[in-house]
Amino acid sequence: MNIHKNSISQNLSTLRQYHAYSQEGVAEKIGVSRQAVSKWESGESLPDIMNLDALASLYDVSIDDLIHFDQQKEKTAIPPKGKHLFGTVKVGERGQIVLPKKAREIFDIQPGDLLVVLGDEEPERAGIALVTEKNFLHTLQFLQNAIRPPEDTHDEKEV
């Protein structure tokens, strides 16, 4: 239990500082005293489940990460909810990469699945993204429906 208590206190302190909140500011936002926030961050006590939920919402992280994420082990700060840093991959001679197991599990990527490779050359946001074919096609269908003008369902009368 002590490891989790240390992880929680470190995560709370790191997140508060990242968001540039004072302990008093956090306390006001979730409806507790500044002393309670201080005790959580020092590891003297733990927030109850309702306060964990409020803190997770405030910092846009999952409750699971707030409790279990170990910054020392992961060598990175706690990530925003739904955002992941899976590590690095090495590109082989023919351009092949191996996706980390955790990424394959989270996104249910199976051997033989097709991935769409997207790229952006803009210097401010240059990068490559991988999207499963199913999600890519779903997004295309959504966009197509969004830009297609609605069909007129009224019967036009001739005058």
Side-chain angles (χ1 to χ4, degrees), residues 90-97:
K90 191 172 194 172
V91 179
E93 288 181 26
R94 295 179 33 207
Q96 68 273 34
I97 61 171

Side-chain angles (χ1 to χ4, degrees), residues 49-145:
I49 191 68
M50 297 305 290
N51 286 322
L52 278 173
D53 185 50
L55 289 161
S57 293
L58 175 66
Y59 295 133
D60 192 30
V61 298
S62 70
I63 292 176
D64 186 56
D65 276 346
L66 195 57
I67 296 170
H68 296 109
F69 191 86
D70 186 340
Q71 295 180 56
Q72 291 177 338
K73 179 182 164 199
E74 299 294 332
K75 305 229 185 311
T76 184
I78 187 170
K81 190 180 343 182
K83 309 293 184 205
H84 304 276
L85 176 61
F86 294 111
T88 60
V89 296
K90 191 172 194 172
V91 179
E93 288 181 26
R94 295 179 33 207
Q96 68 273 34
I97 61 171
V98 176
L99 298 176
K101 181 180 180 187
K102 188 174 179 182
R104 294 190 316 266
E105 289 172 348
I106 288 173
F107 294 103
D108 191 29
I109 298 172
Q110 303 297 321
D113 284 356
L114 293 177
L115 300 177
V116 178
V117 181
L118 305 171
D120 190 337
E121 294 182 47
E122 264 320 294
E124 299 86 42
R125 56 180 188 263
I128 295 175
L130 301 174
V131 182
T132 61
E133 177 191 34
K134 178 178 72 175
N135 286 341
F136 184 72
L137 293 175
H138 176 74
T139 301
L140 283 179
Q141 183 66 45
F142 173 80
L143 291 173
Q144 186 178 29
N145 290 339

